[in-house]
Amino acid sequence: MYYLKNLLIGLATSVAAYLNPISGDIKSLIALFAVNFLFGLLAGLLVHNESFSFKKAFRCILEAMAFFVMVCAIYYIGEQKGNPEGSLQCVSFVTYSVFYFYGVNILRNWKQLCRQGSATYKCVSFIYYVVSVEFIKNVPFLNNYQKIKINQ
């Protein structure tokens, strides 16, 4: 058992050393997924009166793992192709894309948690409105175009 433990520690250390160039991306994704999980849990418990669901929690963890695997795979493939700078740029693009979509989700859940009319609600509502590009729905020509495209 002692040898297995040392083998696993050595393996984990070598993987961590290999992934060191993207460690900042991985750490920030961990923080993002933790905040998303927390705000989703709070919104579910306090706003929607749901009980804790292991199924939803497990799904959230699986989604996070999928992004970690994707980021690590992108870095590995870029390294093997001899283009580490390109792989770092691609990892950065994926990370910022995840930040955007999960950030919008966090803002939506945070908005639901705030008391309507409070300063926090107004601030979070405004940020959510801008970040989620809700204002585009108010562009008259765009609405007409979307209606025409749906009917065709």
Side-chain angles (χ1 to χ4, degrees):
M1 191 66 176
Y2 177 75
Y3 296 110
L4 181 63
K5 179 179 135 183
N6 285 339
L7 177 68
L8 291 176
I9 290 173
L11 186 62
T13 304
S14 61
V15 168
Y18 178 74
L19 296 175
N20 187 42
I22 60 170
S23 65
D25 292 302
I26 292 174
K27 289 174 188 175
S28 58
L29 284 173
I30 289 171
L32 180 74
F33 289 127
V35 171
N36 182 57
F37 181 83
L38 179 67
F39 275 88
L41 178 65
L42 289 174
L45 294 175
L46 301 176
V47 177
H48 303 293
N49 296 322
E50 299 173 350
S51 60
F52 179 78
S53 170
F54 282 106
K55 184 178 178 181
K56 284 176 71 174
F58 189 66
R59 183 170 184 231
C60 181
I61 292 168
L62 282 178
E63 287 177 3
M65 286 176 52
F67 281 113
F68 290 130
V69 168
M70 182 172 63
V71 164
C72 292
I74 289 169
Y75 178 69
Y76 175 77
I77 291 168
E79 280 270 312
Q80 296 307 308
K81 287 183 68 178
N83 188 4
E85 294 85 18
S87 68
L88 290 174
Q89 189 175 15
C90 189
V91 165
S92 181
F93 173 76
V94 169
T95 303
Y96 282 119
S97 299
V98 171
F99 285 171
Y100 173 75
F101 290 108
Y102 275 83
V104 169
N105 191 46
I106 291 167
L107 286 170
R108 182 179 48 82
N109 287 330
W110 189 7
K111 182 178 146 186
Q112 291 175 357
L113 289 168
C114 295
R115 185 175 44 87
Q116 284 190 350
S118 68
T120 307
Y121 178 82
K122 291 176 183 176
C123 182
V124 172
S125 252
F126 175 73
I127 295 170
Y128 174 74
Y129 182 77
V130 171
V131 171
S132 66
V133 199
E134 289 288 320
F135 59 87
I136 286 183
K137 293 178 182 174
N138 295 329
V139 176
F141 298 113
L142 183 63
N143 274 337
N144 292 338
Y145 176 75
Q146 287 176 337
K147 288 177 187 176
I148 290 169
K149 282 306 229 181
I150 290 172
N151 292 329
Q152 288 181 352

